[in-house]
C-alpha cells in the first residue's frame, strides 16, 4: 500500500556514459576516496538544509530535474517517513556501467535509509536514490516450508521493453496444479516483496507450494525498469505500475505445463489488493481473488493518516512533525484539487506524478469489486497501521452479502501478516519474521475449495 516501511523516492537521471579511463589502482583508490568524501558532504548538506549548495554538485540534467526547492521536498518526504536525521553509519562503493556509486547508510530516528549517489565520469552527481536500508540478515525458511514438496524455475513475464524476471514455485508430483500470481504493494519491490530482513512473498510462495499450489512472483516494473519509468511521467498510472504485469503473469501461467489454466488466482497485497477489482475487470476468466490488507480509501488520505500515526507513536507530535504534516496536508489538498486541463504533467505530488493521481480519482475498490463474479478471500491484520480495520470493514460492508466472499481477521498480525505484540511501528519491519502459518493454511484451504 502506501509503502511497506518507507515511501521510497528514487530519482535516476543518467546522462551519456563517459569513456572508460585506464588508470592505476592507486589513482582509482584516490578517486574513490574523493567521491566518498563528496557524497558524505552532500548528505550533510541535505541534513543541514543547505539544498542550494548540495545542488552545486549535480550535473545539468539533475539540476534541471531536481532544483533546490524540489530537493528540499524530497528530503522532507524522507524525514517525514523515517524521522529526524541522526548520522551517517557506513559507506560502500559500487561500479554500475560507466558510473561510480557511493552508497551511504544513514540512521534516522525511525529507520535506516540508504542514500545512493551516482557520479559520472566528470565526478558530477548524475543520480540520487533514497531507499530502505537492507540489513545483512540471512533468510531462513519458516518451519511450514517443505523444500522437497516443490521446485523453482526462472521464467519471464511480459514482452517487449517491459519484460520482467520471475520465479515459479511448482509443486512436485502429478499436476496440473492450481496457481496463484502474487501482486505487490506500492514501491519498487523485488519478487519477494523484501522489507528489511523480511520476505513475505517468498514465505507465501514457498508455503503455498509446500501445500500443492503453484505460485508465480516477479520483479516489479518500477524496480526492474526504473530508468524507463522516468521517461513516461506524464502518462504513468497504476495500469503501468501494477495491472498490466499482473495480467501478463496470469497469461504466462495459462500456457505453463503443470498448471491448471482453469484454476489461476490472483493475490494482491496492499496496493495490489486495492487494484484487484481492476485486474479482475480486465480478465473475467481468473478463477478468484485474494486480498491481503487491501486499501480502500484514497491513497493521499491514507498517506496522511499513516504519517499522523507514525508521528504519534512517541506520545507527542513535535513542531517539526506538525510542519511536515501540514506540508503533507497541503499536497493532499493539491491532489484533490487537480484539474486535468490545468495540471502540470511534470509536477510530483507525494512522490507520484499528476497522471497517477488523476487516474485514481474516484476509484473505490469496494464498489468496483461488486461487479466481480469470482469468489474472493479478504484478509486483514489487526496490528496493521497502514491498512486498518476501517478498510477491512468497508470490504465487509460492500461484499458480506455475497456467498462466495470470505473474510479473515488476525488480531496479532501486522501489515506483512507477521505476528507481533503491542502497537505496530516502522521499526518492526526491521525485525526478522515470517508470514503466519495460519495465513498460509487459510489461503491454501480456500483455493482448494474454490478451485473446482
Amino acid at each position: 500500500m502506501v509503502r511497506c516501511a518507507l515511501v521510497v523516492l528514487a530519482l535516476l537521471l543518467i546522462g551519456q556514459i563517459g569513456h572508460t579511463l585506464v588508470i592505476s589502482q592507486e589513482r582509482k583508490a584516490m578517486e574513490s576516496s574523493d567521491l566518498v568524501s563528496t557524497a558524505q558532504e552532500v548528505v550533510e548538506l541535505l541534513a543541514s538544509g543547505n539544498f542550494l549548495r548540495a545542488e552545486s554538485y549535480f550535473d545539468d540534467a539533475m539540476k534541471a530535474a531536481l532544483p533546490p526547492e524540489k530537493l528540499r521536498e524530497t528530503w522532507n518526504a524522507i524525514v517525514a517517513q523515517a524521522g529526524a536525521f541522526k548520522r551517517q553509519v557506513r559507506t560502500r562503493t559500487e561500479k554500475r556501467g560507466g558510473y561510480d556509486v557511493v552508497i551511504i547508510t544513514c540512521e534516522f530516528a525511525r529507520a535506516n535509509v540508504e542514500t545512493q549517489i551516482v557520479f559520472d565520469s566528470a565526478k558530477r552527481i548524475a543520480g540520487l536514490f533514497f531507499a530502505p536500508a537492507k540489513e545483512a540478515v540471512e533468510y531462513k525458511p519458516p518451519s511450514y516450508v517443505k523444500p522437497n514438496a516443490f521446485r523453482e524455475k526462472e521464467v519471464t513475464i511480459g514482452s517487449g521493453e517491459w519484460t520482467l524476471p520471475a520465479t515459479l514455485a511448482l509443486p512436485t508430483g502429478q499436476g496440473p496444479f492450481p496457481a496463484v500470481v502474487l501482486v505487490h504493494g506500492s514501491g519498487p519491490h523485488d519478487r519477494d516483496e523484501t522489507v528489511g530482513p523480511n520476505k513475505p512473498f517468498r514465505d507465501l510462495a514457498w508455503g503455498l507450494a509446500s501445500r500443492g499450489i503453484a505460485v508465480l512472483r516477479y520483479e516489479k516494473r518500477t524496480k526492474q525498469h526504473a530508468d524507463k519509468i522516468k521517461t513516461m511521467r506524464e502518462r504513468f498510472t497504476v495500469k503501468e505500475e501494477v495491472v498490466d504485469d499482473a495480467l501478463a503473469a496470469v497469461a504466462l501461467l495459462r500456457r505453463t505445463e503443470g498448471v491448471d489454466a482453469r484454476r489461476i488466482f490472483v493475490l494482491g497485497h496492499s496496493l495490489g489488493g486495492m487494484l484487484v477489482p481492476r485486474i479482475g475487470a480486465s480478465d473475467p476468466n481468473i478463477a478468484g481473488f485474494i486480498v491481503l490488507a487491501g486499501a480502500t480509501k484514497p491513497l493521499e488520505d491514507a498517506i496522511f493518516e499513516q504519517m499522523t500515526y507514525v508521528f504519534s507513536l512517541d506520545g507527542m507530535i513535535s513542531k517539526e512533525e506538525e510542519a511536515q504534516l501540514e506540508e503533507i496536508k497541503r499536497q493532499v489538498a493539491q491532489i484533490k484539487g487537480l484539474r486535468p486541463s490545468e495540471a502540470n504533467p511534470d509536477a510530483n505530488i507525494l512522490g507520484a506524478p499528476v497522471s497517477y493521481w488523476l487516474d485514481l480519482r474516484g476509484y473505490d475498490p469496494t464498489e468496483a469489486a461488486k461487479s466481480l463474479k469470482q469468489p474472493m478471500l479478504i484478509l486483514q491484520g489487526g496490528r496493521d497501521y497502514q491498512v486498518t480495520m476501517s478498510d477491512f470493514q468497508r470490504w465487509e460492508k460492500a461484499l458480506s452479502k455475497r456467498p462466495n466472499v470470505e473474510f479473515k481477521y488476525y488480531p496479532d498480525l501486522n501489515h506483512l501478516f507477521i505476528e507481533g505484540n503491542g502497537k505496530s511501528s516502522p521499526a518492526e519491519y526491521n525485525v526478522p519474521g515470517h508470514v503466519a502459518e495460519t495465513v498460509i493454511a487459510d489461503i491454501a484451504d480456500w483455493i482448494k475449495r474454490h478451485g473446482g
Side-chain angles (χ1 to χ4, degrees), residues 327-342:
E327 173 58 22
I328 294 172
K329 187 183 295 185
R330 183 190 69 79
Q331 294 189 51
V332 168
Q334 186 179 356
I335 289 168
K336 294 187 181 300
L338 285 173
R339 296 182 180 179
S341 60
E342 300 175 0

Side-chain angles (χ1 to χ4, degrees), residues 41-55:
E41 181 180 352
V42 168
V43 170
E44 290 301 327
L45 290 170
L46 294 174
S48 64
N50 194 341
F51 303 105
L52 182 62
R53 174 63 177 158
E55 187 225 27

